[in-house]
Amino acid sequence: MSHSRPRIDTEGRRARLGRRHLLAPAYRAARAEEVADAVVGLHATDAATVHLAACARLAVPDPGEVERALYDDRSLVRLLCMRRTLFAVGGALAPVVASSTAGAIAAKERRDMTRWVTGGAPGWDERRLAEAEAKTLAALAARGEATAADLAAEVPELRDTIVVSPGKPYEATVAVSSRILRVLAAEGKIRRGRPRGGWTSSSFRWVPGTAFADLPAPPPAEARAGLARRWLASYGPSTVEDLKWWTGWTLTDTRRALAATEAVEVELDGGATGVALPDDLGAVAAPGPWAALLPGLDPTAMGWKVRDWYLDPDHVPHLFDRSGNIGPTVWWNGRIIGGWAQRADGEIVWRLLSDEGGREAAGLVEAEAARLAEWVGAVRITPRFRTPLERELSA
């Protein structure tokens, strides 16, 4: 990496964010795939987040457009990948993500599951586990799509249960099917299909997938460099620590990936050293005043570990839960200035935690709230991870 240290200030970073993350109105996209590519991947732990995050960036917000990409064209692929988090990524990027991150996570998931099943369920060994998986895949292939209950009805082994933490206050009985299906999904052998309910539902039907071993994926080191380059193009300039956190890689793998991108060191506000792609060192004009209402776990809000340049540390207790998951946020020109929620009657309510932007910001936030309410319609949204401000506003 070069040590010439050009300087990119906070305003330049926020200008890039508004443009590249498709949040300024002039940069909104027409298709869900464009949105996923712009932010590298859409967080998918909460089913509603994928739709809310995409529609916030679509010129014409429509959950049907997101469902088309996820379930009809299957051009967006859900993968357990960066930080063992579920993301929806574009089909062209899926092999890169599989090789750089998801494959190693799937291998660990399989080791853990094998120990859990063979060590906790009477009569289970690796041979029986393999047979149960083969029966499950065959049943799914015959059906085309199936719920976990459908598969358990055809594969008796999936109905076995294991008592977790026996004798403890948090003792629980867990179905073997939950772990087997999770691992098969982590390996890409099965995929989450259309949910049984609406677009906020996490009760998915399963469909056959393509195992990572069958994908034309680049070698892991090459894939990590490719993912690092894609991330820097969307989230740079950023710190090495940011990329390490976002991917979940080791520091060594992170540095090697960045070196392969030929990223150069830059000076950020506050004296921090960042990295940027060689063609991303010039000034970027601000895209004009903009506001956005982004959902909990939105990829922009969760895109960096060091967030002071877009989030006041004093606002963290209001906007995050105790596990570090961010709730619904209100943005103004590249900075989080508040939070929002939906009440039981469908009203979108919001509160600003900062007077930044004054009346202009408040007016644009109100317009975005109306835009959100219009396309959400009768659907009711409850974030999977509740945060203090969201709970207070929705009460």
Side-chain angles (χ1 to χ4, degrees), residues 24-64:
Y27 293 87
R28 288 174 181 157
R31 294 172 64 84
E33 295 90 344
E34 297 175 61
V35 175
D37 287 344
V39 293
V40 185
L42 295 164
H43 276 251
T45 304
D46 187 336
T49 289
V50 180
H51 295 77
L52 290 165
C55 286
R57 298 165 168 87
L58 288 173
V60 181
D62 178 8

Side-chain angles (χ1 to χ4, degrees), residues 7 26 45 90 104 114 179 193 234 243 247 252 259 262 337 347 370 374:
R7 184 170 181 272
T45 304
T114 300
R179 294 297 293 270
S234 295
L243 178 58
T247 56
T252 296
E262 299 184 347
I337 61 170
E347 182 185 6
E374 181 178 5

